[in-house]
Structures are given as C-alpha cells and as structure tokens.
Amino acid sequence: MGNVESHGLTKSFRSQFTSDELAILDHVFDSMAGSQPSEATKSGKAVQKQVTLAMLKAFVHDAVLGTMTVRLYNGLRSIDPVKRTDGRSDAISKKQFVVFLSHVMRGTAGEKAFVIQRMISQDADGSVKGRQIKEFTEDLISAVIHLLQDENMLRDWFMDKTSNSVCGILRLATNLMSQLKAKDGQVLSTGDVLTMEYGQHELKNWVYQVSHIPAFLHLFVALSLRITNSESHGELFSTKHLLPHCRGIKYTGVFTIFDIPSVFYLNTYLPSEHQNQWQMLYSSQVHGESFTRFCSLILHKGPSLLVIKDSDGYVFGGYASNSWDTRPQFQGDSKCFLFTLRPQLGIYNCTSYNDHYMYLNHGQQTMPNGLGMGGQLHYFGLWVDGDYGGGHSKAKPRCTTYNSPQLSAQEHFVIDTMELWRVGNPPEDPLSKPKSVLDSEPEAQALLHMIGKTRMSDGLRDPSEEGEE
C-alpha cells in the first residue's frame, strides 16, 4: 500500500498550484529547512535540502502539540515521488512537501484518505482501527481550535464566552465517527465503530461524505506549517466554511450556550448564504425571561437559530429558514430543521409528512400562544410556552415533521437559558430607509437632466443618505 503507483503519486503535483502559490510554498520549505551546507554528489550536482523531524518540530506553530507534529511528519514522509519501495523516508524533500500539500489542499478523497491513514498509523497495509481514527479526529479538532485561537482567527467567538470546547470536541468527534461505515456499507453501532478495522476504501468514503474532516485537515496543515495566518486569507486557506463571524457578544458580558465545535457542526448544515455570520438577537441572560420581550427582538429579522439549554443540561433547538412572524398558522419551508447539541450532536431534517415547520403566536385566547417547530398544535417537536419558563418536546416515537426524537431530557422541560441568533445578512427592509424628498418625481429629474439643468436643491442632500450599507 506504500507503493507510489498505487496512490497515483507520480502525477504532475506542481500543476495543482499557481506560480504565486508555489513561490509561497517554496519559501515555507526553505524556511523550514534552514541554512544547510551545500554538498555535492559524485556527479557534481548539489544535494537537495531536506527537513528532519527535529527541523519540523522547531518550525511548526507553537500552538501545535507534539503528538500532532509527529502525525504531520509521518504524513509528509509517507509521500513517495521517487518510488521508494517502502514509501517512507526519515527526511522530507521539497517534492514530498509539495505533493503532500497538493493532496491535502487540492487532492481527491482518496489522496486525502491516504494522508490521514499515514498520519494515524505507519502500518503499510493501510488498515486502521476505529479507536485510532477517533483519537486522531479529536487531536485534529483540538489542534485547529488552538491554532485559530492563537492566530486570532476565531472570528469573534471567544473561548471565555462560549461553553466548554473540550467536551464539545469529544461530541463532534463521536458524531463524525458515527458516519464511518463497514466494508459492506453497513451502519455500525457506537461500540462496533471503534473496534472495526478500516482500509483505504472506507476512509475514502468517509472523507468524501464528511466535509468536516478535509476542512479541518486543510486548515491544520496551512496554519501549523505557517503557510497562512491572521494576516493572509487566500483562497487556499479560507476559514469561511468553518466558523461564521460572531456578532453581538464581543463587547458584552454575554456567555453563549454554544461551544466552538458545535458551531463548526451546525454551520455546515446551513445554506451557504447563511454560513458567513451569526448575530445574537436574544439571550435570556441579557434580555430577561419574557416571551413578549423575546418576540419584540426576533420578528422579521431573517433566518435564525433557536437554541435552548434545559434545567437538565440538554441543549437543543431549531433552524428557522424564514423570518419569524406572529400568526395563528404554521409558516416556514422544508429547509428548516431541528437539532441537538448535548448530550450528543444530531440534525433532524424535514420528512415531507406535513408542513408544520414553524409556529409563533402571541396574545390570542383561541390558539396556543408560544413558539413551536414540527408536530402539531399541543404536540410539537419543539415548543416554548408563551408564558415563558418551560416548553415540551413530544415525539412518540418521532416528530412527524422532522423525524426527531425527544430533544430535551424530559418531555416537559424547564428553560435554563434560551438564545436566538440571526444567520446570514440582515433582510432588506424597504421601510428602514426613508426615501429622500429630493428623489421624488424621477420623470421631472430626467427631463431637467436632458435640457442641461440642475436642481439647486441637490447640494442640500443629507450626507447620511449616501453610501449607507
């Protein structure tokens, strides 16, 4: 399995990068190799620079722990562009370096799976146990978070204002591992996932299906090898698909229910236009435990995430694809979904059984007052009472709209904390920008322009009316 031909390593690896990108990679490798004395072979040719494990340890980002440095070294030295029989060397050449990066950043699922397998184990037959993959996945997620934090690239998600990331890493790794399948495609139990052995084919399918893994690998390599940092956000090194920009907590004392791994997880399931930024609109810690206040802050604000922590520590919620509006009918569309974040991660999409996606009613006596998602009146997949303080998650055995189980610890739960976050850009509100009196009668303005006349009032326009976002 270490044979170069079996992994297609003889292809034109440098063609994966532009000349500008290659110049950056050459500079990084030369910096890693340092100043080495020139030696000549018998043919008179200079010996090419190489990087040893000691050199790599001295060069990698300070936030990278020793275990991940060794994994990175094993991945780099497993590349075999010159057809060594065992596919491994003790020192890394520039060719190996560039081929490795082409696999990680521009490669196929199979090439990325090969790199991951060699970062996990140096066993040449290519098989690794599920327990080894889980340990690697936890190390990888942890390394990415530490690197992003150290480079100030968490996009205003602060570690001291989010929930415990250590526990979040374990939950995310467990969720990603659950998508590993056996050789025959069989879905495995949690215990079987860890004891099963997986070859290149199973790893390739996993990498192809689970977008988090190649994204984390890409970012880890780019940051740990100092190819990018907070000052350089090129296409190769973008983090826009991992973390949204967090708005609403930077200059406050707000502590959010979310942990950073759960943000990684949820953001991937949102439509791409809603992945760039999240803005906190409501927090029961800040705005109080009032349903009236809650409604006043969330109406007509665009797609959003509702997240609740109950008194038993369970965290769950729902994605509303449309703006919330108070009405005694169901609203929304099939893009909505429910989710759980604790004690485990889960996404529950629409079943097409009914269209009971979203419900919000307030101040009526004939219809239920509160916020609901899925199920039916008085029997919601997720319900927050209009009296505030509690709600229910009824699913026996499953919610008809989202096929979700009971989200909360108890069917009727008590709210500990509740938040609502707008995702994506704010919706355009034609009433939010009053039209200037200077812009009235456009036909008359056009006529004046045609005969070469200008309006004396043009210079009176309020500067605040121009250049508004």
Side-chain angles (χ1 to χ4, degrees):
M1 296 298 291
N3 187 288
V4 59
E5 295 179 356
S6 66
H7 298 290
L9 301 183
T10 57
K11 70 178 186 179
S12 179
F13 52 87
R14 293 180 72 87
S15 65
Q16 297 292 325
F17 302 103
T18 67
S19 57
D20 289 341
E21 290 166 346
L22 283 171
I24 294 171
L25 300 185
D26 288 344
H27 173 73
V28 169
F29 183 84
D30 291 342
S31 298
M32 207 169 13
S35 57
Q36 299 178 8
S38 297
E39 297 180 6
T41 63
K42 291 181 180 180
S43 63
K45 293 183 179 179
V47 175
Q48 298 295 316
K49 287 185 176 182
Q50 292 186 319
V51 172
T52 64
L53 176 58
M55 292 176 180
L56 183 65
K57 286 181 175 180
F59 180 81
V60 293
H61 199 290
D62 296 338
V64 180
L65 299 178
T67 302
M68 284 304 290
T69 303
V70 174
R71 290 190 189 279
L72 181 60
Y73 168 72
N74 286 333
L76 282 160
R77 74 190 187 104
S78 67
I79 303 299
D80 187 14
V82 292
K83 300 185 179 180
R84 260 184 287 269
T85 55
D86 63 358
R88 294 191 299 272
S89 59
D90 290 332
I92 302 153
S93 70
K94 183 175 288 188
K95 284 185 177 181
Q96 287 176 297
F97 175 72
V98 177
V99 174
F100 173 83
L101 291 174
S102 74
H103 284 7
V104 169
M105 296 180 172
R106 300 283 170 82
T108 64
E111 289 168 338
K112 292 172 184 177
F114 169 72
V115 168
I116 288 171
Q117 185 274 328
R118 288 309 178 93
M119 290 179 73
I120 293 173
S121 169
Q122 288 298 288
D123 187 352
D125 70 5
S127 294
V128 290
K129 285 190 176 293
R131 199 174 303 280
Q132 293 175 288
I133 301 173
K134 186 172 186 290
E135 183 180 336
F136 166 79
T137 305
E138 291 170 358
D139 288 347
L140 180 63
I141 300 168
S142 179
V144 166
I145 291 175
H146 282 101
L147 284 163
L148 290 174
Q149 181 185 21
D150 204 73
E151 285 293 328
N152 296 316
M153 291 171 65
L154 286 175
R155 306 192 76 186
D156 291 338
W157 293 95
F158 299 98
M159 299 292 282
D160 60 348
K161 293 186 176 183
T162 56
S163 294
N164 189 331
S165 284
V166 174
C167 296
I169 289 167
L170 298 178
R171 285 189 291 268
L172 180 54
T174 298
N175 178 272
L176 301 181
M177 284 292 299
S178 70
Q179 300 177 64
L180 262 172
K181 293 182 174 59
K183 293 181 180 180
D184 58 2
Q186 179 184 357
V187 178
L188 303 170
S189 68
T190 302
D192 290 340
V193 164
L194 297 179
T195 57
M196 186 73 67
E197 287 196 351
Y198 303 89
Q200 287 291 304
H201 178 72
E202 292 74 48
L203 286 174
K204 181 183 73 172
N205 289 340
W206 185 56
V207 169
Y208 180 77
Q209 294 172 4
V210 184
S211 62
H212 291 89
I213 297 300
F216 286 141
L217 180 65
H218 180 134
L219 189 54
F220 165 72
V221 169
L223 287 172
S224 62
L225 292 177
R226 304 179 186 275
I227 297 170
T228 187
N229 53 38
S230 56
E231 303 299 322
S232 55
H233 289 275
E235 182 275 330
L236 266 179
F237 322 116
S238 173
T239 61
K240 65 182 180 181
H241 296 304
L242 289 179
L243 279 177
H245 197 116
C246 176
R247 300 190 183 278
I249 68 171
K250 185 174 183 178
Y251 301 109
T252 70
V254 176
F255 180 90
T256 177
I257 301 170
F258 286 118
D259 56 64
I260 290 171
S262 70
V263 176
F264 284 145
Y265 175 72
L266 269 183
N267 204 45
T268 305
Y269 289 93
L270 298 179
S272 57
E273 64 270 22
H274 299 156
Q275 292 180 358
N276 186 55
Q277 69 172 355
W278 297 6
Q279 180 174 357
M280 179 182 279
L281 298 181
Y282 170 83
S283 168
S284 58
Q285 302 175 74
V286 177
H287 303 105
E289 299 178 350
S290 164
F291 195 77
T292 300
R293 177 69 168 150
F294 171 72
C295 289
S296 71
L297 293 171
I298 72 164
L299 295 181
H300 314 298
K301 296 297 176 63
S304 60
L305 287 167
L306 173 72
V307 58
I308 297 169
K309 179 182 177 183
D310 70 18
S311 58
D312 291 296
Y314 279 45
V315 177
F316 49 90
Y319 164 66
S321 57
N322 293 352
S323 288
W324 286 102
D325 189 15
T326 50
R327 65 177 78 159
Q329 298 94 25
F330 285 98
Q331 50 193 292
D333 59 34
S334 59
K335 295 178 184 177
C336 298
F337 59 80
L338 295 179
F339 60 84
T340 55
L341 301 180
R342 280 179 243 166
Q344 67 277 322
L345 300 175
I347 297 289
Y348 307 100
N349 293 305
C350 295
T351 62
S352 301
Y353 182 84
N354 57 41
D355 59 359
H356 298 175
Y357 310 116
M358 301 162 54
Y359 176 93
L360 179 62
N361 196 36
H362 183 50
Q364 289 199 3
Q365 296 183 355
T366 57
M367 299 291 287
N369 290 314
L371 180 149
M373 295 187 71
Q376 56 191 354
L377 298 179
H378 308 291
Y379 203 93
F380 286 90
L382 173 58
W383 172 255
V384 176
D385 291 332
D387 295 334
Y388 199 86
H392 70 244
S393 177
K394 296 184 178 182
K396 292 188 173 39
R398 292 269 174 165
C399 170
T400 54
T401 309
Y402 295 107
N403 197 36
S404 55
Q406 180 178 300
L407 308 177
S408 48
Q410 310 295 330
E411 185 175 276
H412 291 271
F413 60 83
V414 175
I415 297 173
D416 177 85
T417 311
M418 186 166 78
E419 299 170 3
L420 189 132
W421 295 72
R422 175 171 57 213
V423 292
N425 296 322
E428 292 186 8
D429 184 357
L431 300 178
S432 65
K433 296 181 181 179
K435 191 173 182 180
S436 172
V437 294
L438 302 179
D439 294 325
S440 61
E441 300 184 6
E443 296 85 358
Q445 292 180 41
L447 182 59
L448 285 171
H449 180 73
M450 290 174 62
I451 62 176
K453 299 291 185 180
T454 58
R455 296 177 299 164
M456 299 300 293
S457 57
D458 273 345
L460 302 177
R461 182 183 298 275
D462 186 342
S464 66
E465 296 174 9
E466 299 179 355
E468 290 182 336
E469 296 182 357

